[in-house]
Amino acid sequence: MADTVDAPVVPIRDAATIVLVRDTQTDTPRVLMGQRGAGAVFMPSKYVFPGGAVDPSDAHVTLGRPLPEQEVRRLAQLPVTETAPSPQTMAAAALRELWEESGLMLGCPGDWPGNIAPDWADFAKAGLLPAADGLRFLFRAVTPKGRPRRFDARFFLADASGVAGDLDDFSRATDELSHLHWIELAEARKLDLPFITEVVLAEAEAILREGGQESVPFFDNSGAESIFRRIA
């Protein structure tokens, strides 16, 4: 009998993503999406929202406007690991990823205290501090076992009216996402999307249409069984 080789243990990394929406007061709100590269290890060629793993430097960022208390309380619930970042750190990561992958800054005027991490140098040059007061904790999902990379991803909904500068100027974006564009929510469903992105889109559309959200959906795949939870 051949020896059984255990599958490698893939660590779960904390991550943050922004679902940035414009024209929210109209019947046809549009969401910002881009396409991952065909050679990407995780979700190749799929259309996704700007987002990625939390960096250690995100914990040392001063937010010009912090997350609202309700979002802080919800984000602090049900930690998967003992080293889960603080809610404000998750918000900083989401804002940084939006900047890196789209070139758009959600910020407010302010001076940076102390040393400035390289990832935030352009914010400082623009005279802006990252602003998290417009972020709404929308969704959470842990990547199932068996994937090459696993994340404990928190999705934030944000209105693009808080962006400083031209909403259509993606010239300062990195090359992590291609085909960056604003697309109506209904049309976005027709793109090549990961399953979880489809679910998040539906949740965002429901909130924009109905206005309320009593609890945050959480697809928890951190344990032996997949569990659907609600974060009150």
Side-chain angles (χ1 to χ4, degrees):
M1 179 182 295
D3 293 336
T4 300
V5 179
D6 293 333
V9 176
V10 178
I12 298 173
R13 300 179 65 190
D14 293 288
T17 294
I18 286 192
V19 183
L20 190 66
V21 184
R22 67 189 296 182
D23 307 327
T24 56
Q25 302 304 313
T26 73
D27 293 332
T28 55
R30 292 181 287 164
V31 64
L32 180 63
M33 303 197 76
Q35 187 178 32
R36 291 180 59 80
V41 174
F42 190 70
M43 297 183 179
S45 300
K46 297 290 187 179
Y47 278 88
V48 295
F49 314 111
V54 176
D55 285 347
S57 63
D58 296 327
H60 306 291
V61 171
T62 298
L63 295 174
R65 295 174 185 161
L67 274 172
E69 279 303 313
Q70 175 177 280
E71 312 308 322
V72 170
R73 289 193 297 270
R74 286 177 168 177
L75 283 160
Q77 294 184 45
L78 304 173
V80 167
T81 65
E82 295 180 358
T83 58
S86 73
Q88 303 294 354
T89 297
M90 294 178 209
L95 296 169
R96 175 184 51 75
E97 288 288 337
L98 174 67
W99 155 244
E100 291 178 353
E101 296 190 351
S102 73
L104 301 181
M105 296 181 182
L106 271 173
C108 60
D111 296 325
W112 283 73
N115 295 327
I116 302 168
D119 291 339
W120 296 95
D122 287 306
F123 258 80
K125 289 178 183 177
L128 297 173
L129 288 168
D133 58 324
L135 300 187
R136 180 172 183 170
F137 184 26
L138 170 68
F139 203 91
R140 182 178 174 188
V142 175
T143 311
K145 292 181 178 179
R147 305 294 174 85
R149 291 181 181 170
R150 299 183 69 198
F151 296 96
D152 185 353
R154 289 80 165 181
F155 295 81
F156 295 91
L157 182 65
D159 194 315
S161 61
V163 170
D166 185 353
L167 290 177
D168 297 305
D169 180 9
F170 306 126
S171 61
R172 295 177 292 181
T174 63
D175 59 359
E176 290 187 52
L177 295 179
S178 61
H179 305 298
L180 278 164
H181 63 295
W182 297 97
I183 183 169
E184 292 182 18
L185 270 66
E187 292 298 311
R189 303 271 189 94
K190 300 176 184 179
L191 297 174
D192 185 9
L193 305 175
F195 166 73
I196 201 66
T197 303
E198 294 184 33
V199 178
V200 174
L201 265 176
E203 187 74 12
E205 189 171 11
I207 290 173
L208 292 171
R209 182 176 61 249
E210 300 167 9
Q213 185 190 37
E214 295 183 358
S215 60
V216 176
F218 178 18
F219 285 8
D220 187 357
N221 295 294
S222 59
E225 298 181 358
S226 297
I227 301 173
F228 177 72
R229 304 181 187 273
R230 283 277 179 181
I231 300 173

